[in-house]
Amino acid sequence: GASRQSDGEPVVFAASSLVDVLSELSAAEATPFSDVTLSFASSASLAAQIVDDAPVDVFISADRAQIERLRRAGFSDAQPQVVARNSLVIAVEAGNPLLLADLGDLSRGDVLVALAAPGVPLGEYSRGMLSAANIEVTPVTFEADARGVLAKVALGEVDAGIVYATDAASASNVDSVVIPEAEAVNVEYVALDLTEGSGAGQDLIEFLTSDAGRSALTNQGFLLP
Amino acid sequence: MSRQQRHDARVPIALAVLGWLAVAFFVVPIVALVIRVPWSSLSDVITDDATTEALTLSVLTSVITTVLAIVLGVPLAWLLARSNIPGRQFIRALCTLSMVLPPVVAGVALLASLGRRGVVGAILDDWFGVRLPFPMPAVVIAQLFVAMPFLVLTVESGFARSAGTVEEAARTLGASPWYVFTRVTLPATQPAIIAGAVLTWARALGEFGATITFAGNFPGTTRTLPIATYLALESDIDDALLISMVMVVISVVILVALRGRWVGAIGGVR
Amino acid sequence: MSRQQRHDARVPIALAVLGWLAVAFFVVPIVALVIRVPWSSLSDVITDDATTEALTLSVLTSVITTVLAIVLGVPLAWLLARSNIPGRQFIRALCTLSMVLPPVVAGVALLASLGRRGVVGAILDDWFGVRLPFPMPAVVIAQLFVAMPFLVLTVESGFARSAGTVEEAARTLGASPWYVFTRVTLPATQPAIIAGAVLTWARALGEFGATITFAGNFPGTTRTLPIATYLALESDIDDALLISMVMVVISVVILVALRGRWVGAIGGVR
Amino acid sequence: MSLSIDVRRRIGATQLDVQFTVAAGETVAIVGPNGAGKTSLLRVVAGLISADEGRISWDGIVWDDASSGEFSPPEQRPLAYVFQDYALIEHLTVGDNVAFGLRAGGVRRRRARERAYEVLDVVGGSDLVERMPSSLSGGEAQTVAIARALATEPTVMLFDEPFAALDASARAHARRLFSSMRSSSVARLIVTHDAVEALTLADRIVVVEAGSVVQIGTPSEVLATPRSHFVAEILGLNPLSGQLRGDELSLGAMSLTVGAHGVDDGDVIAIVWPRSVSLHRERPEGSPRNVWRTTIDAVDRSDGRVRVQLGTPLPIAVEVTPAGFDALATEPDGEVWASVKASEIVVQPA
Amino acid sequence: MSLSIDVRRRIGATQLDVQFTVAAGETVAIVGPNGAGKTSLLRVVAGLISADEGRISWDGIVWDDASSGEFSPPEQRPLAYVFQDYALIEHLTVGDNVAFGLRAGGVRRRRARERAYEVLDVVGGSDLVERMPSSLSGGEAQTVAIARALATEPTVMLFDEPFAALDASARAHARRLFSSMRSSSVARLIVTHDAVEALTLADRIVVVEAGSVVQIGTPSEVLATPRSHFVAEILGLNPLSGQLRGDELSLGAMSLTVGAHGVDDGDVIAIVWPRSVSLHRERPEGSPRNVWRTTIDAVDRSDGRVRVQLGTPLPIAVEVTPAGFDALATEPDGEVWASVKASEIVVQPA
Ligand SMILES: Nc1ncnc2c1ncn2[C@@H]1O[C@H](COP(=O)(O)OP(=O)(O)OP(=O)(O)O)[C@@H](O)[C@H]1O
Ligand SMILES: Nc1ncnc2c1ncn2[C@@H]1O[C@H](COP(=O)(O)OP(=O)(O)OP(=O)(O)O)[C@@H](O)[C@H]1O
Ligand SMILES: [Mg+2]
Ligand SMILES: [Mg+2]
């Protein structure tokens, strides 16, 4: 296709779970992100906009499948780069009143559980983890994303839910129960340079993998690739 | 007849131009969408049990919501339009707020009141063991909360044009206020009620944010078609478009059938 | 006067009971929400530039949308209600479809038509160099697409109750169809137009899915308050509730002020 | 049994203030100028508006009592009301309009339909039964409105200009119908602008002007001593405002001598009956003391009578026989002599 | 200049079929029973509905021609229309209603207001100028409707029962106003149920029955030879349907001898003027050949005349002098002798 490059400020499309970290970077001075325009939405929405020729330099997806689709459709020849990783935790009400300790507690009869829906990335990760651990969980609801699960937990509507570690960390009224089974889950944030190697996009991606970028990411609870 | 109609229907040109522009504005995206949809995989989607389940649930809940909205909303509109209750303006604003709230926030408001920890919900839970969120009635409640204001405002504007001395005449003929309301006022307001019901139904059918927040998403009980569409969007936009097309077709059929029947008879060309 | 009002305003009991039930249904969640909101951090949120930016954008775009909806929607409603255009039922259904579509799908439809690769968008781009999506006008288009049908249906129901011989009388006094439309028909339909405008405005103000899909999410140009709420929800639900409260307050103010002025004079108690 | 009305009520700028009773079986005609408050009076009696002060009762049952706050809404008053603007229910057929009161009163659909048809038949509207109100002509609509009011067999009837849109034959028919109800124990109030209607249909006439009752009396009483300009004018009489001093009535441009009377000097209204004035080609000799020269402004020949409008100095209407008029042999605008006997002029205090 | 009307048009079950012209300066009254099609006729002329067949033109300019398809919409016809139901614009004040036509015609607001005030003043409604239509009494609303039609100074005027709701004095005032416009070059069509109005205001009378014109003529022509039951009835005459054989008119229950006439034997309508019938206590001797015994069914004394309704065998209305009536000294329901001269009975083909 035509040049993906935006006309003025560089534009970054990012999965909405990166809101806090990228906003912080763009608010700070003298980083390549300080004069970047950020647009957050679900990875799928952003991909749809890119397919419609949206002016964008870098796309950071929470879902490798979206990146692959774009590459297959010929939107970029650049190599996708993993910039951050995330983990899964059990989100529980602040203070963990039901004293949930491990993944197995989710199948307790007195525990109402929310999971992300099959088909959305978080749902697929959760399902994979539970089936690997051979734990049968019957949730009361399949939420569309981590926000949904977290909101249900935060409002006390369910007792527990499986979410990304970063989301659980940033939410108030919610505590995380770290689960060892999550180690096996590989949640990756993949960045794709859409500027056809002109440099601007690559600079941004490189900054994220630099020390400054890495410390910002780890501050928000992300894991490094 | 034909010559008369030609004359009487003379449309001011400015009106016609703007009106047809509006038609184009609506039709072009719909056509583009229809072109865009990968119809070849239609059969996969509509034979999928999950889709039909969601479709059934959506139609069922949106119809129940519409009926409840009429039952509750018409009296409310009447109170707002015709009675002297104090603070009418304020009550009207409160009752239309849910329309302005982002649907997710509307869902949060419902949880905060009717949820397990909610003001009313906690009482229901403690006293009667009733938990509203998650089962199917919660879907109806969520839809009702965001969609009923559309009916209320439309019907209120209908009541505002009063039936004048006709209602008085009915009273002098011995009709009680209730009889007058059902036999004179309601029929005279029918076009507005139908319009309001269609709006409410449409809004309820497309409702997503409040539903998933308040009622969650469970196949068969709370996964409506919009939720299914949204989830499909996360993985495959083509599937999502196909699912939404099912909804479009059903809506067109219902809208054409319904409006043709009920409104055509009253409104239409004089 | 007071005694008369007491008598004339006698409300059939059934109506009053249902009406007040409806009021409670709306008010309880709102109150619960207000209680739930962490007001202590309100000042942080409303002094945040991002919030005020989003607020300004939301108010601006929703008002522009409402004005455009009136300009285009009233003529369309007139065509549907009063003219003899062939296939009225079908056109009406097409023009109300966008109301039923899940907003995200509506956004996709807009992209498919007015996007850079879209049926019409590509022509606009090639011929005039106009690219619609993403800058602010795209927000208005997205809002218009999903919100205008509310006005169209409401106003159509208003036109359906014709002004009868009054319009004929105006014609015999030498008034052109256009003059009759503006001076007789429109004023007689005013309650319905105002109701429709309020509905459209409310729907536009809360619009999220179609906007983020078609117009994207750019601070200052396309990030409206509902989108800001959505992003805030990502990090902290309390922030999201606070942001939406800003919207609630503004809406209440506008609804109370507006309805009191315009509708009170026409409708209200006879 | 009687309907007792004693009401004060503010209507816009008009203060309605009336007091009279209507006995069961009696017909009272309410006459008065446009905007006098006739329709408002019926609305108070019907309970569509309440009295600011005063009391309305029927057969001892209080309908409206401003001092005690008692008030029966319209549907609890056993009355029927024919509205000046018909007020037919647009979405119901003519038959259903007429049956409406019966249905509201709990009569079964089939029975109500039958009765509606009967009543429509009586008023001559049975072929309209399936029609919608919007397709009716003016007179047809009024006929239906009358039928609707009669269908419920009320005990108090309020008719607001019920025959205004009817043609001569329908009007005669409706009047006959109205008169035939006289024997029943129904109290009837009829507002009308038609003097003949008032005089022939009513047992008593109530004259309302600017919200207040200026005269109540039987038709012959009102005819004999019309107590206001308006009444005289509506009756086709010639009311003259002037000043009386003894026998002498001064009317500005001229004066007349009046016969025996018991009225004090001062402002008076004098009535000159059209028939009591004679016209002459030459100045008449003999008895009439009141003779003046005048012009003929307009001539109206209808129904075998000739009605002549005189010009200055006394612009009154007079009625003469065709033969008498032809004998004058004047052109329109021609000059004639007019005379009236002093004993034929009635004076009463203004 | 004239308004030429030649129209066929289906209205519900009625087929409207009329043809006549109205000259500039002329007033034509349209009379006919309820539902005859009078309002529909005005609507066709106004262009609110179009003719199925035929042609309407004013001063040579075609307004509606079914064969060529030419059609001017109402606003392009220089006419004014007073609607039977007033059709005031509810959301405009009285003043703005009256000014509406001027404003629509491009007159500036201030000038239109002034003119509206003037016209309202002429019809006697200037104190209503700031009022809203919904607060007007029936007569006030009609007054405003008349003012609104007059304000634009149209050249064709269509009035549909314009005085029905007016009181006697307002009606007289409006009639005078109407007559005073006679000299102008305006063509006027007025629908009325009031015989006096038709006879006094109109230059010609068009009688419409069941959609068709049954008679056109000057008031005196129509008076002299009313061509239908309806016309006779509206005029207060006694139309009798019967069969003529030579001098002998058989009326079912009895027969009368008629005077010289040029009518063929067969079905006829005979007119008996109320004044031409005499009543007697005893069987009269002498000339009248038509004498019969009958009863008095109803008596109506008003305006110095006595109108008596006779019973079988010939239920007609007669008019006698009060003196003559008192001389009868009968009770109501009493028996009397009636007589009528053969020469006073007019016959014409049915
Ligand atoms: N809602 C109102 N607001 C202000 N004035 C009103 C209202 N309704 C009636 N009036 C005035 O009160 C007076 C009495 O009105 P009403 O209708 O009783 O007259 P009416 O005697 O029936 O006259 P008409 O013979 O013309 O029908 C009129 O002057 C009228 O203009
Ligand atoms: N829309 C309609 N549909 C069916 N019939 C109609 C319609 N409009 C009028 N008519 C009928 O056509 C006939 C003529 O009506 P029109 O109003 O012209 O009568 P009119 O002579 O003005 O009577 P009136 O003296 O009662 O006002 C009536 O019988 C009426 O019922
Ligand atoms: Mg009145
Ligand atoms: Mg008519």
Side-chain angles (χ1 to χ4, degrees):
Chain A
S3 166
R4 323 285 327 149
Q5 199 167 357
S6 55
D7 304 333
E9 292 183 338
V11 173
V12 173
F13 276 15
S16 39
S17 50
L18 294 166
V19 150
D20 289 332
V21 62
L22 294 186
S23 302
E24 185 183 303
L25 284 178
S26 91
E29 282 174 24
T31 76
F33 276 88
S34 27
D35 55 357
V36 157
T37 301
L38 291 168
S39 180
F40 300 100
S42 76
S43 303
S45 274
L46 294 171
Q49 289 170 4
I50 292 168
V51 169
D52 187 60
D53 272 2
V56 59
D57 301 275
V58 174
F59 173 37
I60 309 174
S61 170
D63 181 3
R64 195 179 269 276
Q66 302 295 347
I67 299 278
E68 292 307 326
R69 274 183 56 212
L70 289 179
R71 277 166 50 81
R72 256 183 279 122
F75 279 90
S76 173
D77 302 330
Q79 267 308 311
Q81 245 176 297
V82 177
V83 292
R85 292 202 306 118
N86 210 340
S87 177
L88 299 182
V89 294
I90 299 176
V92 293
E93 266 187 274
N96 195 357
L98 292 182
L99 302 173
L100 301 181
D102 57 32
L103 210 49
D105 286 341
L106 294 187
S107 46
R108 264 163 56 180
D110 63 333
V111 180
L112 296 182
V113 179
L115 291 182
V120 309
L122 177 61
E124 292 299 332
Y125 293 134
S126 307
R127 188 161 68 171
M129 178 173 72
L130 287 169
S131 64
N134 213 357
I135 294 171
E136 188 93 11
V137 173
T138 311
V140 293
T141 173
F142 292 102
E143 292 296 312
D145 47 30
R147 262 178 311 124
V149 178
L150 271 176
K152 290 283 187 305
V153 175
L155 292 167
E157 233 33 78
V158 298
D159 303 304
I162 297 175
V163 297
Y164 295 123
T166 54
D167 290 321
S170 69
S172 50
N173 294 332
V174 170
D175 283 349
S176 322
V177 176
V178 178
I179 34 179
E181 290 88 342
E183 307 259 301
V185 180
N186 193 19
V187 185
E188 291 176 330
Y189 291 85
V190 187
L192 182 65
D193 177 12
L194 291 153
T195 52
E196 313 264 335
S198 77
Q202 195 52 41
D203 287 353
L204 290 170
I205 294 171
E206 273 167 15
F207 177 76
L208 280 179
T209 50
S210 73
D211 286 349
R214 294 161 78 116
S215 79
L217 283 163
T218 48
N219 280 347
Q220 292 287 341
F222 286 93
L223 304 174
L224 299 177
Chain B
M1 212 51 196
S2 68
R3 219 163 62 94
Q4 183 206 347
Q5 289 195 349
R6 229 182 43 235
H7 304 311
D8 291 355
R10 285 196 336 156
V11 179
I13 303 227
L15 276 191
V17 169
L18 289 171
W20 283 108
L21 205 65
V23 172
F25 176 68
F26 283 119
V27 171
V28 168
I30 300 287
V31 171
L33 188 65
V34 170
I35 295 171
R36 173 92 174 59
V37 168
W39 291 104
S40 52
S41 29
L42 178 66
S43 57
D44 299 352
V45 171
I46 52 172
T47 52
D48 183 357
D49 280 354
T51 312
T52 50
E53 207 173 47
L55 175 64
T56 314
L57 184 68
S58 268
V59 171
L60 186 68
T61 52
S62 63
V63 167
I64 296 178
T65 298
T66 308
V67 171
L68 285 178
I70 293 174
V71 170
L72 291 172
V74 170
L76 174 55
W78 197 89
L79 283 186
L80 292 176
R82 297 285 188 88
S83 75
N84 292 319
I85 51 174
R88 278 195 303 150
Q89 308 302 339
F90 191 66
I91 292 177
R92 182 193 290 113
L94 280 184
C95 293
T96 43
L97 254 190
S98 60
M99 204 169 59
V100 190
L101 287 177
V104 174
V105 175
V108 171
L110 283 174
L111 282 179
S113 56
L114 300 176
R116 191 156 67 131
R117 303 281 162 84
V119 188
V120 177
I123 299 176
L124 287 180
D125 194 359
D126 288 356
W127 293 8
F128 310 103
V130 176
R131 289 186 184 182
L132 281 181
F134 304 125
M136 197 257 268
V139 177
V140 172
I141 290 177
Q143 291 178 350
L144 201 57
F145 188 61
V146 296
M148 184 157 75
F150 292 93
L151 182 127
V152 174
L153 284 195
T154 309
V155 174
E156 192 199 342
S157 86
F159 283 141
R161 245 205 224 181
S162 90
T165 56
V166 174
E167 289 179 355
E168 299 183 333
R171 295 288 293 276
T172 65
L173 288 164
S176 66
W178 176 251
Y179 197 87
V180 173
F181 178 73
T182 54
R183 308 304 160 97
V184 181
T185 315
L186 274 192
T189 320
Q190 195 182 350
I193 295 175
I194 291 176
V198 170
L199 295 178
T200 296
W201 172 74
R203 180 71 186 80
L205 192 62
E207 162 47 51
F208 161 71
T211 309
I212 197 167
T213 306
F214 181 61
N217 164 32
F218 199 87
T221 54
T222 67
R223 179 181 295 170
T224 59
L225 211 51
I227 295 180
T229 311
Y230 183 85
L231 291 176
L233 259 178
E234 285 300 303
S235 44
D236 187 357
I237 195 165
D238 285 351
D239 276 2
L241 291 183
L242 268 178
I243 296 178
S244 67
M245 275 302 120
V246 175
M247 216 146 105
V248 164
V249 171
I250 293 196
S251 308
V252 171
V253 169
I254 295 189
L255 286 174
V256 169
L258 186 148
R259 300 281 303 182
R261 275 278 179 82
W262 294 358
V263 174
I266 320 162
V269 188
R270 280 173 310 114
Chain C
M1 213 48 196
S2 68
R3 218 162 62 93
Q4 185 207 345
Q5 289 194 350
R6 231 185 38 235
H7 305 311
D8 291 355
R10 285 197 337 154
V11 179
I13 302 223
L15 278 189
V17 169
L18 290 170
W20 283 108
L21 205 65
V23 172
F25 177 67
F26 284 119
V27 170
V28 168
I30 301 286
V31 170
L33 187 64
V34 170
I35 295 173
R36 177 81 180 62
V37 169
W39 292 104
S40 51
S41 31
L42 179 66
S43 57
D44 299 354
V45 171
I46 53 173
T47 52
D48 183 357
D49 280 356
T51 311
T52 51
E53 205 173 49
L55 176 64
T56 315
L57 184 69
S58 267
V59 170
L60 186 69
T61 52
S62 63
V63 168
I64 295 178
T65 298
T66 307
V67 171
L68 285 177
I70 292 174
V71 170
L72 292 171
V74 170
L76 174 54
W78 197 90
L79 282 186
L80 291 177
R82 296 284 188 91
S83 76
N84 292 319
I85 51 172
R88 277 195 303 150
Q89 306 304 341
F90 192 64
I91 293 177
R92 181 192 291 114
L94 281 184
C95 293
T96 42
L97 255 192
S98 60
M99 207 168 57
V100 189
L101 287 178
V104 175
V105 175
V108 172
L110 286 173
L111 277 180
S113 56
L114 300 175
R116 292 160 193 232
R117 298 263 175 105
V119 189
V120 176
I123 300 176
L124 287 180
D125 193 358
D126 288 356
W127 294 8
F128 311 103
V130 176
R131 292 183 180 185
L132 277 181
F134 306 121
M136 198 256 271
V139 177
V140 171
I141 288 177
Q143 291 178 352
L144 201 56
F145 188 62
V146 296
M148 184 157 77
F150 291 92
L151 183 127
V152 174
L153 286 195
T154 309
V155 175
E156 192 200 342
S157 86
F159 283 141
R161 245 206 223 181
S162 89
T165 55
V166 173
E167 290 179 355
E168 298 183 336
R171 294 287 291 278
T172 65
L173 288 165
S176 66
W178 177 249
Y179 196 88
V180 173
F181 178 73
T182 54
R183 307 306 161 96
V184 181
T185 315
L186 273 193
T189 321
Q190 196 183 349
I193 294 176
I194 291 177
V198 170
L199 295 179
T200 297
W201 171 76
R203 180 71 186 79
L205 193 62
E207 161 49 39
F208 161 71
T211 310
I212 199 170
T213 307
F214 180 61
N217 167 17
F218 294 96
T221 54
T222 70
R223 180 176 299 166
T224 57
L225 212 51
I227 297 180
T229 310
Y230 166 86
L231 288 180
L233 216 48
E234 192 69 37
S235 42
D236 189 356
I237 196 166
D238 284 351
D239 279 2
L241 291 183
L242 267 178
I243 295 180
S244 67
M245 275 301 120
V246 174
M247 216 148 103
V248 165
V249 171
I250 294 196
S251 308
V252 171
V253 169
I254 295 190
L255 286 174
V256 170
L258 185 148
R259 301 280 302 182
R261 274 277 182 81
W262 295 356
V263 174
I266 320 160
V269 188
R270 282 175 307 115
Chain D
M1 278 204 312
S2 71
L3 175 66
S4 125
I5 301 169
D6 172 13
V7 159
R8 275 151 299 290
R9 160 85 199 202
R10 177 125 226 120
I11 312 286
T14 309
Q15 175 68 34
L16 189 66
D17 181 352
V18 292
Q19 183 177 358
F20 62 94
T21 59
V22 189
E26 192 185 24
T27 301
V28 169
I30 301 172
V31 301
N34 289 134
K38 305 180 295 297
T39 298
S40 305
L41 170 57
L42 295 195
R43 288 171 61 79
V44 181
V45 175
L48 296 171
I49 50 180
S50 64
D52 293 336
E53 281 173 38
R55 188 186 150 95
I56 301 172
S57 65
W58 163 249
D59 194 14
I61 299 159
V62 174
W63 283 1
D64 189 350
D65 187 336
S67 57
S68 74
E70 274 176 275
F71 183 88
S72 310
E75 68 271 21
Q76 286 167 23
R77 308 185 183 190
L79 52 78
Y81 188 164
V82 178
F83 284 69
Q84 198 169 2
D85 61 356
Y86 324 145
L88 299 182
I89 304 167
E90 285 293 324
H91 63 272
L92 297 182
T93 62
V94 163
D96 288 342
N97 261 281
V98 177
F100 186 90
L102 298 165
R103 296 282 296 138
V107 177
R108 306 201 148 262
R109 182 183 303 276
R110 153 169 290 204
R111 178 75 202 97
R113 286 252 169 95
E114 284 168 8
R115 169 95 184 117
Y117 191 87
E118 283 165 30
V119 179
L120 274 170
D121 204 33
V122 170
V123 299
S126 54
D127 48 336
L128 303 173
V129 68
E130 295 297 342
R131 295 271 291 275
M132 296 308 286
S134 60
S135 80
L136 298 179
S137 80
E140 290 165 346
Q142 192 155 43
T143 307
V144 174
I146 294 173
R148 187 174 66 171
L150 297 182
T152 49
E153 296 178 344
T155 51
V156 173
M157 289 190 190
L158 311 175
F159 286 71
D160 201 347
E161 300 188 33
F163 311 135
L166 299 186
D167 67 43
S169 114
R171 194 176 296 205
H173 183 74
R175 276 194 209 152
R176 243 173 284 133
L177 193 71
F178 196 87
S179 306
S180 73
M181 298 184 302
R182 280 219 186 163
S183 51
S184 68
S185 63
V186 174
R188 281 171 296 264
L189 270 172
I190 177 168
V191 173
T192 180
H193 285 309
D194 186 324
V196 176
E197 227 158 77
L199 293 167
T200 54
L201 292 179
D203 300 307
R204 278 187 306 151
I205 294 180
V206 173
V207 184
V208 179
E209 278 183 57
S212 304
V213 174
V214 295
Q215 182 168 17
I216 299 186
T218 63
S220 42
E221 281 166 13
V222 173
L223 256 181
T225 53
R227 199 80 59 67
S228 77
H229 257 268
F230 171 77
V231 185
E233 212 170 318
I234 190 187
L235 297 175
L237 312 178
N238 294 297
L240 302 171
S241 294
Q243 259 145 6
L244 190 67
R245 187 163 307 121
D247 278 356
E248 197 69 13
L249 175 70
S250 40
L251 297 162
M254 68 175 288
S255 55
L256 294 174
T257 309
V258 302
H261 64 83
V263 178
D264 292 341
D265 286 2
D267 288 345
V268 294
I269 291 176
I271 307 288
V272 178
W273 267 263
R275 295 273 171 105
S276 62
V277 179
S278 316
L279 297 184
H280 319 266
R281 229 170 138 176
E282 308 289 337
R283 186 188 171 94
E285 308 295 321
S287 66
R289 275 179 286 172
N290 299 314
V291 174
W292 69 101
R293 198 167 168 72
T294 182
T295 55
I296 292 185
D297 273 13
V299 177
D300 160 16
R301 280 170 181 271
S302 63
D303 194 6
R305 292 169 296 148
V306 180
R307 227 175 140 85
V308 177
Q309 178 66 40
L310 300 184
T312 48
L314 202 62
I316 59 176
V318 307
E319 207 175 302
V320 294
T321 59
F325 185 75
D326 292 343
L328 284 176
T330 50
E331 302 295 303
D333 294 329
E335 298 226 321
V336 291
W337 288 90
S339 67
V340 60
K341 281 199 202 133
S343 59
E344 303 233 25
I345 301 175
V346 174
V347 285
Q348 48 186 293
Chain E
M1 277 203 312
S2 70
L3 174 67
S4 124
I5 300 168
D6 172 12
V7 158
R8 273 152 299 292
R9 160 84 200 202
R10 178 127 226 118
I11 312 286
T14 309
Q15 174 68 33
L16 189 66
D17 182 353
V18 292
Q19 183 175 0
F20 62 93
T21 59
V22 189
E26 192 184 26
T27 300
V28 170
I30 301 173
V31 300
N34 288 136
K38 305 179 296 296
T39 299
S40 304
L41 170 58
L42 295 196
R43 287 171 61 82
V44 180
V45 174
L48 295 171
I49 52 179
S50 63
D52 293 336
E53 280 172 40
R55 187 184 151 97
I56 302 172
S57 67
W58 164 248
D59 193 14
I61 299 160
V62 174
W63 282 1
D64 188 350
D65 187 335
S67 57
S68 74
E70 274 177 275
F71 183 88
S72 310
E75 68 270 21
Q76 286 166 25
R77 307 185 183 188
L79 53 79
Y81 188 165
V82 178
F83 284 70
Q84 197 169 3
D85 61 356
Y86 324 144
L88 298 181
I89 303 168
E90 285 293 326
H91 63 273
L92 297 181
T93 62
V94 163
D96 288 342
N97 260 282
V98 176
F100 187 90
L102 298 164
R103 296 283 296 138
V107 177
R108 303 198 151 264
R109 182 183 303 275
R110 153 170 293 207
R111 177 76 201 95
R113 286 253 170 96
E114 284 168 11
R115 168 96 184 114
Y117 191 86
E118 283 165 31
V119 178
L120 273 171
D121 206 30
V122 170
V123 299
S126 54
D127 48 336
L128 303 173
V129 68
E130 296 297 344
R131 295 271 292 274
M132 296 309 286
S134 59
S135 81
L136 298 179
S137 80
E140 288 164 348
Q142 191 154 45
T143 306
V144 173
I146 294 172
R148 186 173 67 173
L150 297 181
T152 51
E153 293 176 348
T155 52
V156 173
M157 288 191 193
L158 311 175
F159 286 70
D160 200 348
E161 301 189 32
F163 310 135
L166 300 186
D167 67 44
S169 118
R171 192 176 297 206
H173 183 74
R175 275 194 209 152
R176 244 173 282 134
L177 192 73
F178 196 88
S179 306
S180 74
M181 298 185 303
R182 279 219 185 163
S183 50
S184 69
S185 63
V186 173
R188 279 172 298 266
L189 270 172
I190 178 170
V191 172
T192 178
H193 285 308
D194 186 324
V196 176
E197 229 158 74
L199 293 168
T200 54
L201 292 177
D203 300 307
R204 278 187 308 150
I205 294 179
V206 173
V207 183
V208 179
E209 279 183 56
S212 305
V213 174
V214 295
Q215 182 167 18
I216 300 186
T218 62
S220 42
E221 281 165 14
V222 173
L223 255 183
T225 53
R227 197 79 60 66
S228 76
H229 258 268
F230 172 76
V231 184
E233 212 169 319
I234 191 185
L235 296 173
L237 311 178
N238 293 298
L240 301 170
S241 295
Q243 259 149 3
L244 189 67
R245 187 162 306 124
D247 278 358
E248 196 70 8
L249 174 69
S250 41
L251 297 163
M254 68 176 287
S255 55
L256 294 174
T257 309
V258 301
H261 63 85
V263 178
D264 292 341
D265 285 3
D267 286 345
V268 293
I269 290 177
I271 308 286
V272 178
W273 267 263
R275 294 275 171 106
S276 62
V277 178
S278 316
L279 298 184
H280 319 266
R281 227 170 137 177
E282 308 289 338
R283 184 182 175 99
E285 307 297 322
S287 63
R289 274 179 288 170
N290 298 314
V291 175
W292 68 100
R293 195 167 170 70
T294 182
T295 55
I296 293 184
D297 273 12
V299 178
D300 160 17
R301 281 167 182 271
S302 63
D303 195 5
R305 292 170 295 148
V306 180
R307 228 175 139 84
V308 177
Q309 177 66 42
L310 300 183
T312 50
L314 202 61
I316 59 176
V318 307
E319 206 175 305
V320 293
T321 57
F325 185 74
D326 292 343
L328 284 176
T330 51
E331 303 295 303
D333 296 329
E335 297 226 320
V336 291
W337 289 91
S339 67
V340 60
K341 282 199 202 134
S343 59
E344 302 233 26
I345 300 175
V346 173
V347 284
Q348 47 185 295

